[in-house]
Amino acid sequence: MAASFSERLIMLTRRKMIQGMAAGAGAALGLPFLPEQLLASSARKETPKRIVFFMQNQGFDPATCIPEGMKRSGSLAKVKLPEPISPLEPYKERLHIINGLHGIHTSPSHSAFFGALGGYRGSDGVPPSAATIDYELSKVLPQTLLPHLCIGMDSIENMKTKPTIATLSASGAGQPIFMHSNPNHLYQMLYGGISTGDIRLQHEARFNLLNQIEKLAASKGRSLPTADQQRYGQFVNGFKDVNGLRDRLDSVADHLRKFAPKVDSRYTSPEYETDWHDALLDLGISSLTSGITNTLTIGSGRGEIFGAWKGLGIEQQGHNLGHMAQPGNPIWIKIRQYNSRMLVKIIEALESVPEGSSTMMDHTLIVYTSNNADKQHTSGANWPVMLLGNFDGSFKTGCFTQLDGKRPINSLYATLLHTAGVPCDHFNMNEKLARKFDTTTGPIQELLV
């Protein structure tokens, strides 16, 4: 029986199922982290920074976020936010709307895929050519149990058939990081060790199996040709990281119980895909407030051209949504307002948690944009972005900044690294590319305090 299982394991590996699972997990988990560090940080009242990337597919038309009549940079204090982002009106003082970045070099078209957060050429089915900004930030921000968590929202059918998918984040060239799209699986991973009943049983069964796979993979890897052993060893290390995460989470179980979301019918019997979207958001928020992670990436549409929001009363889905003009469109108003309510939920949750002399939100930055620049069929000449929060006093807030269209999204990412304490002249751009697509070096000074 054991030999038969081993053979099936090798077949799965060759089909890249294990490769995807292990590589994605390994990239996301990062370096070893002692659980007591999480609790020690809390006890010392440290104020670590954290960041959230919210990527909406199908483009982000600037007319849906720039207040009417605003042509130049200025304060948002005396203007009314457009209807699509109206839920953010009470939080205008925390908002910074940016227009005039570009991503021409990423060739976004239907989507820039990994290039949206990587700042390089991306396309459907093309592996990442370098690490993305979310992963790079997760390395330099204060270490956590799970440095980087990615969640992806799509139609219920896609989330069930593809519970993980990699299209937006990467830890390096050819090293994609997987998004979690099934909230039941993600809950088991994060909180299975503190659960009871069926969730606990499923959690135990899953990790017992992963432990067996790790041992089998390690033993079988030794029999491979030398040229294949290093690559296969990456798969084994991925399983070690997954199993190690479980042990680390279990060791801080009492702490995590305070933050674990309540499992309800949305998880097991979703009526619409938005039930799972909401459950995934709750899990993402809890991973931030509990200190499990400091970097959260949310892919609404999962970086592709699909996506569905039937729970909002929208029957159209997928590619067709991208062919609809966004300004004044009741469908896109519903989708963008839903996104904005999600952003508000993140803000309110982080504001409710004291941190140092203020709250978690005071040391957090939320970056909202699209993996598709301003529209579905786009050249990438304009790439609107909204920031919420000031990253511990680094960014200006309550304002609109109109740039001249000569700086790329890479310069925004260099600015993020700068405010995280890592100076960067050009993120993922060599000198030749920088001369062609960027007019200066370093951070975008107009955005900084």
Side-chain angles (χ1 to χ4, degrees):
M1 220 31 199
S4 176
F5 182 81
S6 298
E7 290 169 0
R8 291 199 302 272
L9 173 63
I10 298 300
M11 290 173 62
L12 289 173
T13 303
R14 287 173 180 167
R15 292 173 190 168
K16 298 187 179 181
M17 182 176 288
I18 290 179
Q19 179 185 3
M21 181 178 181
L29 299 184
L31 299 172
F33 178 82
L34 300 176
E36 52 268 26
Q37 288 180 253
L38 174 67
L39 302 181
S41 295
S42 176
R44 290 197 300 269
K45 306 292 184 184
E46 290 183 349
T47 56
K49 293 179 179 179
R50 62 193 61 79
I51 193 161
V52 178
F53 290 90
F54 194 121
M55 308 295 289
Q56 172 65 58
N57 68 348
Q58 312 287 15
F60 185 21
D61 193 302
T64 64
C65 65
I66 300 174
E68 187 176 358
M70 286 200 85
K71 305 295 183 183
R72 294 179 294 181
S73 301
S75 172
L76 297 174
K78 296 182 179 180
V79 299
K80 186 178 181 180
L81 296 182
E83 186 179 6
I85 63 168
S86 57
L88 297 174
E89 187 73 30
Y91 296 93
K92 253 187 340 191
E93 77 282 357
R94 291 187 178 273
L95 177 63
H96 192 154
I97 301 170
I98 305 164
N99 195 46
L101 290 167
H102 79 82
I104 298 171
H105 56 298
T106 69
S107 301
S109 187
H110 282 95
S111 173
F113 294 91
F114 296 107
L117 289 173
Y120 45 72
R121 186 179 180 86
S123 185
D124 190 8
V126 175
S129 60
T132 51
I133 183 60
D134 46 356
Y135 176 78
E136 289 296 340
L137 284 166
S138 75
K139 292 194 304 181
V140 300
L141 294 176
Q143 205 171 13
T144 52
L145 291 173
L146 180 64
H148 188 193
L149 176 63
C150 303
I151 58 178
M153 302 166 180
D154 204 339
S155 69
I156 195 73
E157 297 83 7
N158 285 346
M159 289 190 291
K160 285 182 176 179
T161 57
K162 296 179 181 179
T164 59
I165 190 171
T167 59
L168 284 174
S169 302
S171 61
Q175 299 178 42
I177 298 174
F178 282 72
M179 289 182 281
H180 298 267
S181 293
N182 186 318
N184 297 289
H185 297 173
L186 182 55
Y187 191 96
Q188 285 178 28
M189 185 181 87
L190 297 177
Y191 300 113
I194 62 173
S195 301
T196 58
D198 289 343
I199 294 177
R200 180 58 184 250
L201 292 175
Q202 292 167 7
H203 173 76
E204 293 293 342
R206 182 183 183 208
F207 279 98
N208 285 338
L209 177 62
L210 290 178
N211 279 323
Q212 293 179 46
I213 292 175
E214 179 189 331
K215 293 175 182 177
L216 281 169
S219 63
K220 290 296 176 182
R222 288 192 290 269
S223 66
L224 291 172
T226 303
D228 294 333
Q229 285 185 13
Q230 182 176 2
R231 182 182 178 190
Y232 197 84
Q234 294 176 348
F235 306 158
V236 177
N237 288 336
F239 285 112
K240 287 180 180 178
D241 284 337
V242 170
N243 294 328
L245 174 65
R246 179 228 182 160
D247 294 336
R248 294 194 297 273
L249 290 172
D250 285 353
S251 69
V252 291
D254 289 341
H255 172 79
L256 295 181
R257 282 192 182 92
K258 305 171 188 175
F259 301 92
K262 180 182 178 182
V263 175
D264 52 31
S265 61
R266 296 175 305 166
Y267 286 78
T268 55
S269 305
E271 182 178 3
Y272 300 108
E273 70 290 309
T274 45
D275 292 333
W276 269 17
H277 295 185
D278 294 340
L280 285 166
L281 182 69
D282 288 346
L283 287 165
I285 290 172
S286 72
S287 73
L288 293 169
T289 55
S290 65
I292 289 176
T293 192
N294 58 28
T295 306
L296 173 65
T297 300
I298 302 170
S300 181
R302 303 202 296 184
E304 299 192 319
I305 59 173
F306 306 109
W309 292 268
K310 293 180 181 178
L312 305 181
I314 299 171
E315 291 302 317
Q316 295 91 339
Q317 60 179 314
H319 182 260
N320 290 337
L321 288 171
H323 285 274
M324 301 176 181
Q326 292 183 10
N329 186 323
I331 289 176
W332 272 103
I333 289 173
K334 286 181 180 180
I335 294 173
R336 201 74 67 191
Q337 286 184 340
Y338 179 57
N339 290 347
S340 297
R341 290 194 296 272
M342 285 185 161
L343 298 177
V344 167
K345 192 169 184 179
I346 297 171
I347 293 170
E348 291 179 342
L350 295 177
E351 280 189 335
S352 71
V353 181
E355 190 170 63
S357 59
S358 51
T359 71
M360 276 190 165
M361 188 60 208
D362 291 302
H363 312 112
T364 299
L365 184 71
I366 301 171
V367 182
Y368 179 94
T369 187
S370 176
N371 50 280
N372 220 87
D374 56 339
K375 57 186 177 181
Q376 189 190 89
H377 294 281
T378 179
S379 66
N382 188 25
W383 207 305
V385 177
M386 294 194 307
L387 305 181
L388 284 156
N390 60 30
F391 219 31
D392 202 17
S394 300
F395 286 90
K396 295 175 183 176
T397 57
C399 60
F400 165 62
T401 296
Q402 177 64 55
L403 299 172
D404 61 8
K406 296 180 180 179
R407 299 217 66 186
I409 54 174
N410 305 61
S411 63
L412 172 63
Y413 302 155
T415 306
L416 296 178
L417 285 169
H418 171 82
T419 56
V422 183
C424 176
D425 287 338
H426 297 289
F427 178 74
N428 279 348
M429 272 190 164
N430 58 32
E431 288 301 319
K432 182 178 179 180
L433 277 176
R435 284 196 301 271
K436 185 174 182 180
F437 294 109
D438 199 355
T439 55
T440 186
T441 62
I444 305 171
Q445 296 296 336
E446 296 94 323
L447 308 183
L448 300 176
V449 174

